[in-house]
Amino acid sequence: FQAARSLGASPDQVSSWVWALGMGMGLTTLLLSLRTRVPILVTWSTPGAAVIAAASAGVTLPEAVGAFLVCGALTVLVGVTGLFERLMNRIPFALASGLLAGILARFALQAFAGASVQPALVLGMFLVYLLGRRWWPRYAVVGVLACGTLLAAAMGQINVLALRWDLAAPVGVMPAWSWHAVIGMGLPLFIVTIASQAVPGVSAIRVMGYRPAISPLMTWSGLATLVLAPFGGYTFNLAAITASIVLSPHAHADASKRYTAAIMSGLFYVVMGLMGGAVAGVLAASPPALVMGIAGLALLGTIGNGLAVALRDEQHREAALITFLVTLSGVTLLGISSAFWGLVAGTVS
């Protein structure tokens, strides 16, 4: 929302961004998961949104759309040429596991840190998680969601006035071309998306034992960006954090059937796009500790698996540990997030 507003988007255009992102994520997730029978999740670039907000000075919304199209074209290029997949094939498996664990561990830390502000809510969800893992492991996170929502409502922490039920509709913006926008926004958006999200996204898939062809996934992500950029779909890429949920055993005990969890996610994304105003209202109405608590607890199993794989190989153990710690630190240099620098540090080590 902040990225869209920083470019001067109207309320209808902001709603269109939610529509475009939801439809792009949902349809590409459905297409790729059905085609590959692998749980492939496509998402928007969160650090990319930060880049847009930071680079919005002096850039109009039509010029930003032109920059989004450049980002999409570059993504298609690295997919069609196979450049990105060749790069990923050179990254040791242990480093990829350490990278993924470092990214996800930050969310788990934030989940438990919420106990200092709202101890009853966070500790209640944690207790339900522990009981759920023992008695109904596949639905433990669903239990956490239900418990957290009920606790937050009982404690008066749900802001009912923030709830809305508005539908979203696409609003197109004709792109304009500006070298200032292309260089200052389009290129950084592409670099940050590849370094901070696409690399961890591939790592998440491979750590769980899946080996789909990566180049077509990148190509389809770029094509989705090219089609939906005029409506606010500023960039699409492989998910890492949310993908780790549908890739985990609790999504399905049979690894060959976990793609069905991604299919359901794709359907939910489409609904999210259609009900953009309602989604924003639900998030605004919920306390941060509830949102972060659910996310952090849902990722614990994947974090543990990533660390186990990262530290298993003695040859790469120290490099994987360095990758994990630098990524976990959250350091940002030259506008690029810690995920990229963690991989650089581990590779140098």
Side-chain angles (χ1 to χ4, degrees), residues 133-204:
R133 293 298 295 166
R134 178 180 294 271
W135 293 338
W136 58 90
R138 188 172 179 182
Y139 303 101
V141 178
V142 177
V144 170
L145 172 61
C147 170
T149 303
L150 291 174
L151 283 174
M155 293 185 290
Q157 295 178 359
I158 301 294
N159 182 11
V160 181
L161 296 178
L163 294 174
R164 301 165 48 199
W165 304 108
D166 299 338
L167 297 178
V171 177
V173 174
M174 186 65 65
W177 304 104
S178 160
W179 284 111
H180 170 66
V182 169
I183 296 174
M185 182 179 292
L187 291 180
L189 179 61
F190 169 73
I191 293 170
V192 166
T193 299
I194 292 296
S196 301
Q197 299 226 210
V199 172
V202 175
S203 300

Side-chain angles (χ1 to χ4, degrees), residues 110-134:
Q110 292 179 49
F112 289 110
S116 61
V117 179
Q118 296 175 319
L121 177 60
V122 175
L123 294 178
M125 289 192 296
F126 182 52
L127 177 61
V128 169
Y129 175 81
L130 294 177
L131 295 175
R133 293 298 295 166
R134 178 180 294 271

Side-chain angles (χ1 to χ4, degrees), residues 308-332:
V309 173
L311 303 178
R312 183 182 303 160
D313 183 4
E314 187 173 349
Q315 179 183 356
H316 296 110
R317 182 173 298 165
E318 185 175 84
L321 182 60
I322 290 172
T323 300
F324 169 75
L325 292 174
V326 174
T327 303
L328 179 61
S329 72
V331 61
T332 300

Side-chain angles (χ1 to χ4, degrees), residues 41-74:
L41 229 62
V42 176
T43 187
W44 67 66
S45 172
T46 303
V51 168
I52 294 171
S56 60
V59 177
T60 65
L61 184 56
E63 290 173 342
V65 170
F68 302 163
L69 291 172
V70 170
C71 177
L74 291 174

